[in-house]
Amino acid sequence: MSFKHGKNGRALVSSYDLSSYFNEMSSSQSIETAETTAFGNSAKTYITGLNDGTISFSGMFDGSSDAVAEVFEDIIANGSTTVITLAQDGGLTQGNSCVMAQAKQTSYDITTPVSDVVALSGEFQVTGGLRNGLILGGAVTATASANGTGIDNTASTTAGASSNVHVTANSMDAATVIKVQHSADDITYADLITFTSVAIATLTSESKTATGTINRYLRYQVTPAGSGSITFSISLSRRN
Amino acid sequence: MANNEYIIIQGIDYPPKNRAEAGEVVNDLPKNAVPWLLESGIIKPAPVTSYQVAPKSKQTTVKKEVADEL
């Protein structure tokens, strides 16, 4: 067994690393069941239905530009679907597990107690299901083309995958391409998912899927076309 | 003769430092990688090219007659 302390938890919401504002985050997965009990049964029977999930955050309020309050206000005002990655397993370290989702914010609360810090919390309704994945690259800062180290998942899978990328800092003076690649031998790598080209100095996030065979080894590839630096985190979940 | 040319379906990076984009035809893929690349649908064998030999054209000899108008 390998227990993990929560102090290294990280929360990526859209194109922001909001970890420094939160002191608690949680994700909840559920699956509904439909009862199929009929006359003659001696015990209730069920069949499984649809997956569902929610994510919640709580922490400290900060109303500064690009801080947590402004981010939450924009998300809930726009009703946008937000890309979220929770690194609960020891932080944004390559190979660690994470929870990945696309979600819509359903609540945003600010609490102002007379004798304590102003607090903030938010709830998100997951759309498309929560997915358990792996960090392929955590807070990677690239100034030139680079490949991540291959992560060995020990076997290939055949039911596709989904991947989240969060670009949290970007001073590049030209576009940057970020990909997920897969391999059966950790030597030759093929493109699996190519994210939308990241424009000059743009912060962004995106979730994309791939179908079919996902080979045993996975890595990221970043290809900046200009000079500067770009910081991103990328994760992938096999749908198996 | 075995055909070792393959059409790239999804871009690949392969040793030593080669990159092939979708649509390209390559013949220098690592032999060990070809089976899994085919199985994964990342490459497919390039069709064998056949060349048609064109018939020789008839050669015509033209004699140049020079008239001596002297």
Side-chain angles (χ1 to χ4, degrees), chain A residues 4-172:
Chain A
K4 298 288 172 64
H5 199 280
K7 66 181 181 181
N8 292 318
R10 300 283 289 273
L12 300 172
V13 179
S14 185
S15 58
Y16 299 90
D17 181 347
L18 298 180
S19 310
S20 60
Y21 303 106
F22 299 142
N23 52 26
E24 188 171 325
M25 61 187 185
S26 64
S27 60
S28 174
Q29 296 186 56
S30 62
I31 188 164
E32 64 181 15
T33 53
E35 188 173 344
T36 54
T37 312
F39 295 120
N41 287 144
S42 57
K44 286 187 175 182
T45 58
Y46 296 88
I47 56 174
T48 53
L50 299 170
N51 284 303
D52 200 4
T54 57
I55 290 173
S56 63
F57 300 104
S58 59
M60 286 69 69
F61 174 87
D62 184 343
S64 307
S65 178
D66 284 344
V68 64
E70 189 174 287
V71 173
F72 274 15
E73 285 163 11
D74 284 349
I75 292 171
I76 203 163
N78 294 333
S80 54
T81 300
T82 305
V83 180
I84 296 175
T85 302
L86 305 181
Q88 79 286 4
D89 182 21
L92 286 170
T93 303
Q94 188 186 45
N96 281 0
S97 66
C98 64
V99 173
M100 302 161 53
Q102 294 184 81
K104 290 188 176 294
Q105 190 165 11
T106 54
S107 72
Y108 168 43
D109 300 302
I110 300 169
T111 308
T112 311
V114 69
S115 59
D116 207 345
V117 66
V118 178
L120 166 148
S121 64
E123 299 269 346
F124 288 77
Q125 172 62 54
V126 171
T127 177
L130 276 171
R131 306 179 304 276
N132 297 307
L134 291 174
I135 305 290
L136 301 184
V140 175
T141 297
T143 57
S145 297
N147 298 323
T149 304
I151 294 176
D152 185 359
N153 290 168
T154 69
S156 65
T157 51
T158 58
S162 58
S163 181
N164 285 0
V165 68
H166 303 262
V167 177
T168 53
N170 186 4
S171 64
M172 281 290 173

Side-chain angles (χ1 to χ4, degrees), chain A residues 179 181-185 187-191 215 221, chain B residues 10-15 19 30 33 36-37 40 42:
Chain A
K179 296 177 182 177
Q181 295 185 313
H182 63 151
S183 171
D185 57 14
I187 299 171
T188 296
Y189 274 87
D191 296 350
N215 285 299
Q221 182 180 74
Chain B
Q10 291 174 291
I12 58 173
D13 292 288
Y14 57 101
R19 169 75 189 172
W36 72 261
L37 289 170
S40 302
I42 296 165

